[in-house]
Amino acid sequence: MDLLEQAKKALEAEGVTFAAVSSCGEKKTSQKKGIAPMMEILAECPDFLQGAAVADQVIGKAAAFLLRKGGAKYLYAKIISEHALETLQNSGIAVSYGTKVPYIINRNKDGMCPMEQTVLSVTDVEEAYGKLQEKLRELSGRN
């Protein structure tokens, strides 16, 4: 079974929202929502995603930037936004998905996901990463 198939299989487990299999076969899964799993991986073991296969429930532009930053090689998304697909074009990441949507909807279902909105006009990976860190700090300060 190839890396992407392993990641997709791991995503099928109950409650799993994110699964990644590194180039050497190490697996990480998460039940956290949004970009939290990728932000944690990038902070704790930045090389893990290099050449990895990722399977995720939802990929928006913010997550697409994080995959580029981490150097992922394969992605499967159950739902992906048009903004994410645009961001992943020519990135060297092989993308497959279930459903394409115009944008990722926020958790209240009344607008765009705040993370996707944060990086909507951004084109640089490092700038996007910085803005996402800032946005997460801002949101965690509100809770």
Side-chain angles (χ1 to χ4, degrees):
M1 188 179 343
D2 70 16
L3 295 180
L4 187 58
E5 287 306 312
Q6 289 178 51
K8 285 167 82 170
K9 189 160 179 53
L11 187 66
E12 291 169 13
E14 190 176 332
V16 173
T17 58
F18 170 89
V21 180
S22 73
S23 55
C24 60
E26 186 186 343
K27 206 177 290 175
K28 288 187 186 289
T29 61
S30 178
Q31 295 185 338
K32 292 183 178 177
K33 290 179 171 25
I35 62 171
M38 280 187 256
M39 290 296 277
E40 285 176 7
I41 287 172
L42 288 171
E44 294 165 12
C45 39
D47 295 336
F48 182 85
L49 291 174
Q50 193 65 45
V54 172
D56 203 315
Q57 296 286 347
V58 179
I59 294 287
K61 187 170 183 176
F65 273 125
L66 298 178
L67 290 168
R68 284 179 50 192
K69 179 170 177 54
K73 191 170 182 183
Y74 308 99
L75 167 67
Y76 169 74
K78 285 191 176 180
I79 297 170
I80 193 164
S81 77
E82 291 173 1
H83 302 292
L85 278 173
E86 205 175 281
T87 300
L88 293 168
Q89 271 180 345
N90 307 318
S91 67
I93 300 172
V95 180
S96 58
Y97 57 89
T99 305
K100 179 174 73 170
V101 296
Y103 60 89
I104 303 304
I105 296 172
N106 65 23
R107 294 192 186 141
N108 294 334
K109 301 190 182 336
D110 62 1
M112 186 181 285
C113 160
M115 295 303 154
E116 187 159 58
Q117 202 159 19
T118 296
V119 296
L120 208 51
S121 63
V122 177
T123 55
D124 178 74
V125 173
E126 291 306 320
E127 181 186 350
Y129 185 60
K131 284 183 173 246
L132 292 170
Q133 287 176 311
E134 206 174 286
K135 186 68 172 177
L136 285 173
R137 277 193 296 274
E138 178 190 310
L139 291 174
S140 67
R142 257 198 259 154
N143 297 342

